Amino acid sequence: RTERELKVAGALGPCISMEKKGPNVSDNEIGIGGSNTFQLCSADPSTSLAIFLEVASQQGQAAPGGRGAVQFISQYQHSNGTKRIRVTTLARHWADPVTSIQHVAAGFDQEASAALMARIAVNRNETDNDGPDVLRWLDRMLIRLCQKFGEYNKEDFSTFKFPDNFTLYPQFMFHLRRSPFLQVFNNSPDETAYYRHKLMKEDVSNSMIMIQPYLYSYSFDGPAEAVLLDSCSIKPDRILLMDAYFQIVIYHGDTIKKWMDKGYHESPEHENFRQLLAQPVEDAQEILAARFPMPRYVDCVHGDSQSRFLFAKVNPSQTHNSAYGGGYGGGPGGTGASVLTEDVSLQVFMDHLKKLAVANNS
């Protein structure tokens, strides 16, 4: 249920339309539309639906301080056989997108927005069956967002600046463009369908792991720490743990590999090295035990074929033909590994994005 100023444009997720019409059903469909009631076969704690709403009138702009309310009524049968109804009511303040743009920007959730855009892109890819067109659509939406909420001087991309709660969104889109949800090369149709199904079902936290995997570094310098998903983070004296949701990858750098080949981890004098090797394995086992379906577990060393799972995900800030090393934010002269790819780096992507956003003819 919604207030009269709002209409349901559609839903995206593991659901079907019940084709229940009503005054709050929008004619402009997004995903599964034409209804205000949707059915799921089952639900678990991580199941989520994306509901898209349309502002049907401008009445909210004429009433400063007013609120728009949405009510979700969930009817389900519990595992113990009892039927239950849960009602959740949400209310948000109206804001004029012209005169109160700062209030609109303050309510922006970049992770939730990235998860929603990923679902829309996958849906467009499946319905239109045109991958390059979907990528162009993603680029246009990102440029429009930069022009709407960025601060800049016309034709001067060096002055471009995003609000704090927008700064990570472009890199989410960068990794989404490279993800197996949109890049289907080297994946079977079954694999692609599975990846997209999980993206449509999981909550924001899990969706973000799929879009931009988490990377952790282990070394003698201190406890495990989160590092940039960048080739500059791949160093010879580090062990990396990458959680890509569908794969859990443990990567041993070149120096670590040589120490392992010499059997240092089996010697009592090098107990610290043995503990260093065991720590990422223990952390990986915790992730594997808590996730369903269980991800693919990859234990690799520098130079072997399995390390491709890591190199395919990181930002290629240093490649076989790049003029400088260092990742986005890492600066020139980085000591990370080179990635054999023709893909542009995040740095190049951001520079082109800023130039297009500040251009007068965009």
Side-chain angles (χ1 to χ4, degrees):
R1 296 179 180 178
T2 64
E3 290 194 351
R4 61 181 180 272
E5 295 88 0
L6 295 173
K7 290 189 176 183
V8 180
L12 282 174
C15 65
I16 60 173
S17 170
M18 297 300 291
E19 299 182 358
K20 185 176 181 180
K21 304 291 184 178
N24 66 337
V25 176
S26 173
D27 295 329
N28 301 319
E29 298 184 4
I30 299 179
I32 304 172
S35 175
N36 58 16
T37 306
F38 306 91
Q39 183 180 19
L40 289 77
C41 293
S42 63
D44 58 54
S46 65
T47 300
S48 67
L49 285 181
I51 306 296
F52 298 92
L53 304 173
E54 177 189 8
V55 179
S57 71
Q58 304 300 316
Q59 181 174 351
Q61 299 180 10
R67 290 189 175 190
V70 181
Q71 190 173 73
F72 298 94
I73 304 174
S74 305
Q75 303 181 39
Y76 62 97
Q77 183 173 351
H78 194 264
S79 57
N80 61 13
T82 60
K83 292 187 177 181
R84 302 181 180 182
I85 297 179
R86 172 178 292 180
V87 179
T88 305
T89 304
L90 305 176
R92 294 293 184 268
H93 289 288
W94 291 108
D96 192 321
V98 177
T99 61
S100 302
I101 189 67
Q102 70 276 9
H103 294 106
V104 177
F108 183 76
D109 186 327
Q110 52 192 344
E111 293 189 348
S113 300
L116 289 172
M117 288 298 289
R119 292 196 184 196
I120 297 176
V122 167
N123 178 257
R124 290 174 68 99
N125 208 329
E126 292 180 339
T127 55
D128 299 342
N129 198 25
D130 189 351
D133 185 61
V134 173
L135 293 177
R136 288 191 291 269
W137 174 81
L138 270 179
D139 293 340
R140 289 196 301 270
M141 294 299 102
L142 181 57
I143 293 170
R144 288 176 59 185
L145 183 79
C146 293
Q147 293 174 333
K148 186 74 173 180
F149 296 99
E151 300 176 4
Y152 55 90
N153 297 327
K154 282 289 187 181
E155 301 293 342
D156 186 1
F157 76 96
S158 63
T159 62
F160 185 89
K161 183 180 179 181
F162 247 155
D164 292 341
N165 58 330
F166 284 78
T167 53
L168 296 178
Y169 184 79
Q171 79 178 45
F172 293 156
M173 294 296 101
F174 170 79
H175 289 289
L176 174 62
R177 297 175 88 263
R178 305 175 70 227
S179 69
F181 308 117
L182 302 180
Q183 303 291 344
V184 299
F185 177 77
N186 208 31
N187 287 331
S188 69
D190 288 347
E191 285 180 299
T192 300
Y194 170 68
Y195 293 153
R196 291 176 174 177
H197 168 74
K198 293 299 292 183
L199 177 69
M200 288 291 192
K201 174 186 175 296
E202 295 297 323
D203 56 22
V204 172
S205 298
N206 288 336
S207 297
M208 292 311 302
I209 298 176
M210 301 179 200
I211 296 171
Q212 181 175 317
Y214 294 167
L215 189 63
Y216 303 94
S217 175
Y218 300 79
S219 69
F220 289 117
D221 296 337
E225 60 178 352
V227 294
L228 292 173
L229 187 66
D230 194 291
S231 59
C232 69
S233 300
I234 305 176
K235 299 181 179 180
D237 60 343
R238 297 288 192 272
I239 302 175
L240 298 178
L241 170 63
M242 184 182 72
D243 180 7
Y245 192 86
F246 301 109
Q247 300 96 19
I248 303 295
V249 181
I250 297 179
Y251 171 85
H252 303 85
D254 189 30
T255 303
I256 301 293
K257 172 182 177 294
K258 293 177 180 178
W259 290 344
M260 293 170 60
D261 291 341
K262 294 180 179 180
Y264 288 165
H265 58 296
E266 299 173 352
S267 173
E269 303 91 62
H270 300 92
E271 177 64 18
N272 288 343
F273 183 52
R274 187 192 66 80
Q275 293 178 359
L276 178 65
L277 293 177
Q279 188 176 356
V281 176
E282 294 173 357
D283 293 344
Q285 293 300 325
E286 291 183 6
I287 299 174
L288 292 170
R291 186 165 298 163
F292 178 82
M294 183 177 290
R296 178 175 182 175
Y297 179 64
V298 178
D299 193 337
C300 60
V301 297
H302 174 77
D304 71 0
S305 63
Q306 298 297 299
S307 60
R308 70 184 187 276
F309 288 99
L310 172 65
F311 281 77
K313 294 291 187 181
V314 296
N315 167 40
S317 60
Q318 183 174 345
T319 66
H320 59 289
N321 58 5
S322 61
Y324 58 90
Y328 179 63
T335 58
S338 295
V339 181
L340 301 178
T341 182
E342 298 297 330
D343 289 347
V344 300
S345 66
L346 179 58
Q347 177 102 34
V348 176
F349 179 81
M350 290 296 298
D351 289 344
H352 280 279
L353 175 62
K354 292 176 182 178
K355 291 177 181 178
L356 291 172
V358 304
N360 283 321
N361 58 350
S362 293

